[in-house]
Amino acid sequence: MSFLVGLAAAVLGNVVIGTGQCLQKYALNKLQRDWERTGTSTARTEAVAYSSNVYSSSIDMRQRGSSVSQPSRTVESKRGPLPRYTSKTWVLGLLLNYAGEVCGNAVALSYLSASVVAPVGIVSVLVNVLLAERLLGERITSNQKFGFTVIVAGVACILLVAPRSAGATDATQFVYMVQTSGIALFFGLLYVVQLLLVLVIRNGRQSLFVYVLVASIFGTMNVMVSKIMTMYVRLKMAFAGLPNPADIVVYGAVGAMSSATVTLPRVLVALVMGVSVIGQESFRQQALGKYPVMQFQPVFFATYNVVATLSGLLLFKELDGWMHALVFFSVFSIGIGLILYGSRFLQKAKSVVLPSHIKLQKDNLLKSQ
C-alpha cells in the first residue's frame, strides 16, 4: 500500500512539474518576442526621426541636437528582454514546479527509493512535450515520437528492478542508515565537482551536457536531503524521541539526543537545501534559455536519473546482496542506454523545431501578402 501511495504522489507531482516547466519556457519566449518587437519598432521610429532631422537640418540647425540624442534609446532597446521574474506566467510556472517537488516527489521519497521516484520523472517530460507542442509551437515529429517511445521503454526497465523499500521502517534502522551513509563526505565531493563544472562554464566552454550535469547534481543533493528529512518526519510521528538526522551525522546518535533545538548542523542542512534549490533552478533556467524544451528535458532526465539513482543506492544501501546488485546494474545500464538512444532522436530533430515567435512572424508575413 505504501508503494502505491508513493507512486501516486510521484506521478501527480510530475504532472504539475511538467506543466510548470512548460509555462516557464512559454514566459521566456514571450519576453523575448516582446523585446524583439519593441526593439524593431524603436529602431524603425528612430531611423525615420534621424532621416527627418538630417533632411531639415539646413532649415533649422536647432533640430540637430535632437538627432544626436536619438541613438541613446537604441542602445537602451538593445539591453535585452525584461527579467524573467517580471512575468506572472513565469512565476506561476516556478511555483507549480516546486509545488510538484514538495507535495509530490518529496512525499514519494518518504515511501520509495530514489531509484523509483527519479524514473517516474518521465511523466513531467511527456507532459512538458505535449504542452510544448500547443503552447510553444514546437512540432513533434515522427522521429521524436519514436525517441520518446524508446525513452519510456528505458524507464520501464529501470522501474522493473528498482528497490521497492524506502530504506528504514523504524527509528533504529533510520539512525543506523544516517550514521553509516557518509553523506557529509559525499556532499563535500559533489561541491568540489560542482565548483569545477561552474569554472568550465565561466571559461566559455558551454554545452547542453555541462548545464544538465550541474543542474542534475544540485537536484540530486536536494533529493538526498529531502529523502532523509521526509523519512524523519514520517518516523517522528511514531517515534517521538527520534533525533534530528543532521545532529546524528555530526554528534552521533547519543550526542544528538541531547542537542539543542537550533544547532549548527541543522542550519547547515537548511543552507545546503537552499543552495541546491537555487543552483538547480539557475542552471536549469539558463539551459532552457539556450536550448529547446524537447532537447533539454530528455537529456536532463537521463542524466538526473543516473546521478540520483546511483547516489541513493550508494548512500542508503538499498540493494539486497550482490545478485540483486548485478541484476539491477545490468538492467539499469540497458534502461539508461535506451534513454540516451531515444534522446538522440530528439536532438536530431532540432532543425525542424519551430519556435512560437518565428511561427507568428511567418503567419503575419503570409497574411500581409
Side-chain angles (χ1 to χ4, degrees):
M1 183 63 182
S2 60
F3 178 81
L4 294 178
V5 172
L7 187 62
V11 170
L12 293 177
N14 280 285
V15 169
V16 176
I17 291 171
T19 303
Q21 290 177 349
C22 192
L23 287 177
Q24 287 181 296
K25 182 63 177 180
Y26 173 80
L28 292 175
N29 284 353
K30 187 175 184 303
L31 290 173
Q32 182 70 23
R33 291 197 307 269
D34 292 342
W35 172 64
E36 290 175 353
R37 290 173 181 173
T38 302
T40 302
S41 176
T42 302
R44 289 177 179 175
T45 301
E46 292 171 355
V48 173
Y50 181 80
S51 299
S52 176
N53 288 332
V54 171
Y55 177 77
S56 61
S57 60
S58 60
I59 300 175
D60 190 351
M61 294 295 294
R62 289 177 298 178
Q63 293 183 359
R64 294 178 65 92
S66 61
S67 67
V68 174
S69 62
Q70 294 296 329
S72 61
R73 290 188 308 206
T74 304
V75 175
E76 183 72 22
S77 65
K78 293 181 180 179
R79 289 184 177 178
L82 293 173
R84 61 193 66 188
Y85 56 79
T86 59
S87 171
K88 295 181 180 179
T89 304
W90 185 86
V91 174
L92 175 61
L94 181 65
L95 293 177
L96 288 176
N97 194 5
Y98 284 101
E101 290 286 357
V102 174
C103 301
N105 288 338
V107 174
L109 284 169
S110 68
Y111 292 98
L112 304 176
S113 165
S115 59
V116 175
V117 177
V120 174
I122 187 62
V123 174
S124 69
V125 177
L126 297 177
V127 170
N128 203 330
V129 169
L130 292 175
L131 292 178
E133 185 179 26
R134 295 180 176 272
L135 296 180
L136 307 181
E138 296 184 1
R139 184 164 58 91
I140 303 178
T141 67
S142 57
N143 276 344
Q144 288 172 321
K145 291 179 181 179
F146 175 76
F148 281 114
T149 302
V150 175
I151 291 174
V152 171
V155 171
C157 290
I158 297 175
L159 290 177
L160 283 175
V161 295
R164 294 293 187 265
S165 65
T169 56
D170 57 43
T172 303
Q173 290 181 3
F174 178 77
V175 172
Y176 178 78
M177 181 192 71
V178 174
Q179 278 186 310
T180 59
S181 64
I183 191 170
L185 176 61
F186 183 72
F187 272 35
L189 294 176
L190 288 183
Y191 272 117
V192 172
V193 173
Q194 290 292 68
L195 178 60
L196 296 176
L197 291 174
V198 171
L199 290 177
V200 169
I201 294 177
R202 295 296 183 187
N203 290 332
R205 300 178 182 178
Q206 301 178 2
S207 67
L208 174 60
F209 180 72
V210 175
Y211 281 106
V212 163
L213 184 57
V214 174
S216 298
I217 294 177
F218 274 127
T220 297
M221 296 172 70
N222 194 30
V223 165
M224 296 300 103
V225 175
S226 297
K227 179 176 178 60
I228 292 178
M229 295 308 298
T230 52
M231 195 186 307
Y232 167 72
V233 172
R234 180 169 60 84
L235 293 175
K236 184 75 171 179
M237 297 178 182
F239 306 94
L242 185 65
N244 189 284
D247 297 330
I248 295 176
V249 172
V250 177
Y251 305 128
V254 177
M257 297 293 294
S258 59
S259 59
T261 304
V262 179
T263 62
L264 179 60
R266 301 183 192 185
V267 174
L268 291 177
V269 167
L271 182 61
V272 167
M273 292 194 68
V275 171
S276 300
V277 169
I278 295 174
Q280 181 187 19
E281 185 61 28
S282 175
F283 285 95
R284 193 174 63 83
Q285 289 300 323
Q286 291 181 52
L288 283 173
K290 296 176 179 292
Y291 305 95
V293 171
M294 283 187 284
Q295 183 183 3
F296 163 79
Q297 193 68 11
V299 178
F300 173 74
F301 175 72
T303 307
Y304 172 72
N305 258 280
V306 172
V307 178
T309 299
L310 295 182
S311 298
L313 295 176
L314 177 64
L315 290 177
F316 306 123
K317 303 173 180 62
E318 296 170 336
L319 296 177
D320 300 325
W322 288 104
M323 183 58 66
H324 187 195
L326 179 63
V327 173
F328 173 81
F329 284 113
S330 299
V331 179
F332 179 78
S333 300
I334 295 174
I336 292 299
L338 290 173
I339 292 174
L340 294 175
Y341 178 70
S343 299
R344 292 178 58 188
F345 286 89
L346 305 184
Q347 296 179 47
K348 287 180 180 179
K350 180 180 178 181
S351 59
V352 301
V353 174
L354 187 63
S356 56
H357 64 282
I358 296 179
K359 184 178 180 181
L360 288 174
Q361 292 176 3
K362 179 181 178 182
D363 294 342
N364 291 336
L365 289 174
L366 293 175
K367 290 179 181 178
S368 62
Q369 294 176 354

